[in-house]
Amino acid sequence: METRQEKDKLSAIAEELGHEICVFTNSANSPAPNEMPVPAEEESDDFYEFTPEDYYRIISDKIGAKAQILKTHKMREAEAAARRARITKAVIRVLFPDNYILEANFKPSDYIQSLVDLLMKVTARPDLPFYLYTTPPKVLIKDTTQDFYSAGFAPGAIVYFSYDLPKDSELNNEVAKTGPYLRADIQSLNGLRPTSKTLGPVNFEPETTVVETTVVPDPKPAVKKPTKPKWLKL
């Protein structure tokens, strides 16, 4: 639990930056050098057998996809607007080469430039050019006029930070490879969580589009019940 001094420190930084931030390290997620991954158990032959249930599930998915295509433009727009309305924040985590992670909240309608402006305030060398990218595959974030939702960064995303310096430059060897990348006072926030609930766990999986599907009935033949002829008297 944070002390009063730590809470005041977090509040002062948030007031300066205009954002509540959270700083932590990624070292816990890095495997030990001598730690080898455990091979997965080999699946049995039955695992790869194509069953009737698989067939009817594929048919059902195809029918649902066809129904989605047949929807009118207005219907698709209304569904897209409804999905967007349900997302109220974009939690962005910036990973630095020294394993420090900066987390901050934005509105889905905020522009990516607001993230760049925030990084200009927290980096140790704001005078050096830098770029952001996502991976895999490595894709540079060039259009900072795009909002987080349109860029696919809502409700959350992980981006990577790198200095944009010539490989043979002295600064690249001294700064870009070793750091530090964050200001010392920002690094000192490592492990401290803001008291408000604006920062917290978020699902970083891409949003799944809900597709209307048609349920295919089980094609098992109906079992006829034996009936007694009217002329038969017992």
Side-chain angles (χ1 to χ4, degrees), residues 142-157:
K142 297 180 179 179
D143 186 6
T144 59
T145 62
Q146 198 174 22
D147 63 75
F148 289 108
Y149 184 88
S150 300
F153 292 171

Side-chain angles (χ1 to χ4, degrees), residues 84-100:
R84 181 163 187 163
R86 288 196 299 267
I87 300 176
T88 58
K89 63 180 179 180
V91 182
I92 308 300
R93 290 178 180 173
V94 183
L95 275 66
F96 294 87
D98 58 356
N99 282 334
Y100 273 90

Side-chain angles (χ1 to χ4, degrees), residues 51-86:
T51 64
E53 288 78 7
D54 295 329
Y55 172 78
Y56 290 110
R57 185 172 62 252
I58 292 173
I59 295 298
S60 178
D61 291 343
K62 285 185 177 180
I63 293 175
K66 186 176 181 180
Q68 182 73 8
I69 294 173
L70 294 177
K71 288 181 179 179
T72 66
H73 180 66
K74 287 186 177 180
M75 289 173 64
R76 290 195 295 269
E77 282 187 339
E79 290 178 352
R83 289 195 300 271
R84 181 163 187 163
R86 288 196 299 267

Side-chain angles (χ1 to χ4, degrees), residues 91-127:
V91 182
I92 308 300
R93 290 178 180 173
V94 183
L95 275 66
F96 294 87
D98 58 356
N99 282 334
Y100 273 90
I101 299 175
L102 176 76
E103 179 181 307
N105 276 6
F106 298 88
K107 295 178 181 178
S109 57
D110 288 342
Y111 299 114
I112 297 178
Q113 183 61 44
S114 59
L115 173 62
V116 175
D117 295 339
L118 175 63
L119 292 175
M120 290 287 292
K121 298 177 182 179
V122 300
T123 53
R125 294 293 303 270
D127 56 311

